[in-house]
Amino acid sequence: MTTPFLTLDGLTRRFGDHLAVDGVSLDLARGEILALLGPSGSGKTTTLRLLAGFETPDAGRVLVEGFEVTRLSPAARRFGMVFQHYALFPHLDVGENVAFGLESLGIKGEELKVRVAKALALVDLEGFERRRIAQLSGGQQQRVAVARALGPEPRVLLLDEPLSNLDPTLRERTRRELRDVIRRVGITTVLVTHEQDEAFDLGDRVAVLRDGRLEQVGTPDELYEAPRTAFVARFVGRASELHGRVREQTADGTRVEVQGCLWGIPSGTGVRSTFEPGDPVQVLLRPEALWLARPDAGLLAATVVERRFMGASALYLVRTDAGSLLDVDAPGWAAGPGDRVGLAPSRRSGGGIHLFPATPPV
């Protein structure tokens, strides 16, 4: 078996009575980009600080190519760090900012100039050495911070909320630029974000954290299409929730009673557990997993609350007669607030319905 390039082995960190990171274990291949995704307080930034060496774990190890670096100082680990607020020095020009980390390694003279120019070229800022930080856009400042981190040729790049300081109009473009830089350099990268789009766009894999624990790690497709827990199903993408009760589980699928309607859910579309008849379940539904129709016997009766035009389709918010609010992606449908509709599992989705044991039971 190939040795992972970077390993987090059971990392644990407490602050008083608060368990901030609870036994997180991850392996990264050389050149892989991993996004740590989770809500505020999930432990993602503390995990990054444990990786960087700014925090010492109460238990667990950090290894690079099989060699433990847990007790090494941040500098000795040879990891590059880009902070949330970039930490650029406004009184220094771009070249001096990039040179700062190199000078601490004893690099000077002509070699220093060459290394600064090389780092700026990596982020497409050739010739910016004499620019003042205040003259740069937010996206350019971020690239200077990345260039400074890459200058010492680190083994791993760590990014803490790299796009949070940018306004929405700049964020998407800068995200593409950052992704291109990381892939061009080929450096193993761990980034922290609470933005799904950012995690999905930048990460080869995404690790979802909750209350300091690793809920699931996988590709963006895997997290969306095959969530292992109800939390991941709710947190990744858009999902509505109903409560139901299993009536029958066969080789072909699971029949679930939902608010008086019997829904057949085919095997492989999100049923992750074996259920017995009568078991209460949570039914997590992607908007594309529901079919919107005129009211009819056998369909789940609902009323349209609002309609949002999305271009090729419309996103409806509907309220079932039992009071549940659901999002429905309905291309080609025309209904308005107050209209009565019927709902059933979509004929076109091929998935997007996920069953989990009900907690608490219904």
Side-chain angles (χ1 to χ4, degrees):
M1 181 178 177
T2 304
T3 301
F5 183 76
L6 177 65
T7 296
L8 290 68
D9 179 22
L11 286 182
T12 300
R13 184 71 170 102
R14 287 183 177 275
F15 296 101
D17 294 332
H18 175 57
L19 187 57
V21 178
D22 186 4
V24 170
S25 294
L26 288 163
D27 288 329
L28 279 76
R30 183 187 294 273
E32 183 178 10
I33 305 171
L34 178 76
L36 300 178
L37 176 67
S40 296
S42 61
K44 53 190 186 297
T45 295
T46 303
T47 301
L48 197 75
R49 290 178 61 82
L50 290 170
L51 263 177
F54 300 135
E55 297 284 350
T56 301
D58 297 305
R61 304 180 299 163
V62 177
L63 300 97
V64 180
E65 295 188 286
F67 295 96
E68 186 171 351
V69 300
T70 315
R71 302 300 164 184
L72 295 183
S73 68
R77 296 183 188 207
R78 290 180 51 213
F79 290 3
M81 181 82 177
V82 177
F83 297 93
Q84 181 175 356
H85 298 289
Y86 308 150
L88 298 174
F89 302 113
H91 63 287
L92 302 180
D93 62 27
V94 167
E96 290 167 336
N97 267 277
V98 176
F100 183 82
L102 293 167
E103 290 173 325
S104 67
L105 299 176
I107 298 170
K108 53 188 176 181
E110 190 60 31
E111 183 184 357
L112 180 62
K113 292 181 182 178
V114 171
R115 294 279 290 271
V116 168
K118 180 181 177 182
L120 288 173
L122 287 174
V123 298
D124 295 323
L125 289 177
E126 299 96 329
F128 274 64
E129 284 86 345
R130 301 282 73 86
R131 296 280 186 94
R132 310 302 300 181
I133 297 302
Q135 294 175 306
L136 304 179
S137 68
Q140 289 172 329
Q141 290 183 26
Q142 188 229 42
R143 282 189 278 159
V144 172
V146 172
R148 185 176 62 186
L150 293 176
E153 299 179 351
R155 298 183 290 183
V156 176
L157 179 64
L158 306 176
L159 304 170
D160 184 13
E161 299 277 5
L163 305 176
S164 62
N165 291 325
L166 302 178
D167 62 65
T169 57
L170 276 176
R171 196 169 294 156
E172 185 172 352
R173 186 182 72 203
T174 306
R175 189 166 67 217
R176 289 196 304 267
E177 293 170 348
L178 179 60
R179 182 185 59 213
D180 291 345
V181 167
I182 295 171
R183 297 207 185 285
R184 187 164 63 243
V185 176
I187 188 170
T188 306
T189 301
V190 181
L191 69 99
V192 159
T193 181
H194 64 274
E195 294 284 348
Q196 267 182 56
D197 289 348
E198 190 173 310
F200 279 25
D201 202 15
L202 290 172
D204 298 315
R205 290 188 300 154
V206 178
V208 180
L209 294 172
R210 178 193 185 194
D211 296 332
R213 295 185 298 275
L214 185 63
E215 287 275 316
Q216 186 174 348
V217 59
T219 66
D221 286 357
E222 289 168 345
L223 295 179
Y224 187 85
E225 296 172 2
R228 292 179 186 168
T229 67
F231 173 81
V232 174
R234 294 189 196 99
F235 188 73
V236 173
R238 186 189 296 268
S240 304
E241 182 174 351
L242 293 172
H243 290 282
R245 196 170 294 276
V246 172
R247 289 299 171 223
E248 182 182 18
Q249 188 164 31
T250 69
D252 295 328
T254 305
R255 291 167 67 82
V256 180
E257 183 179 339
V258 180
Q259 296 185 8
C261 296
L262 197 59
W263 284 2
I265 302 172
S267 297
T269 60
V271 182
R272 305 285 163 226
S273 302
T274 299
F275 298 103
E276 297 294 333
D279 283 350
V281 290
Q282 294 171 289
V283 186
L284 276 296
L285 301 145
R286 302 296 187 198
E288 66 272 16
L290 288 170
W291 174 52
L292 198 63
R294 290 181 174 81
D296 198 0
L299 299 181
L300 185 61
T303 302
V304 174
V305 176
E306 66 178 37
R307 176 183 187 270
R308 280 178 280 169
F309 179 66
M310 307 291 286
S313 63
L315 186 66
Y316 288 87
L317 179 65
V318 303
R319 189 190 305 275
T320 70
D321 287 0
S324 301
L325 287 171
L326 307 174
D327 288 312
V328 185
D329 182 8
W333 186 259
D339 287 350
R340 296 285 290 166
V341 294
L343 300 169
S346 176
R347 297 168 179 171
R348 64 186 172 90
S349 70
I353 303 177
H354 305 286
L355 299 185
F356 298 98
T359 308
V362 294

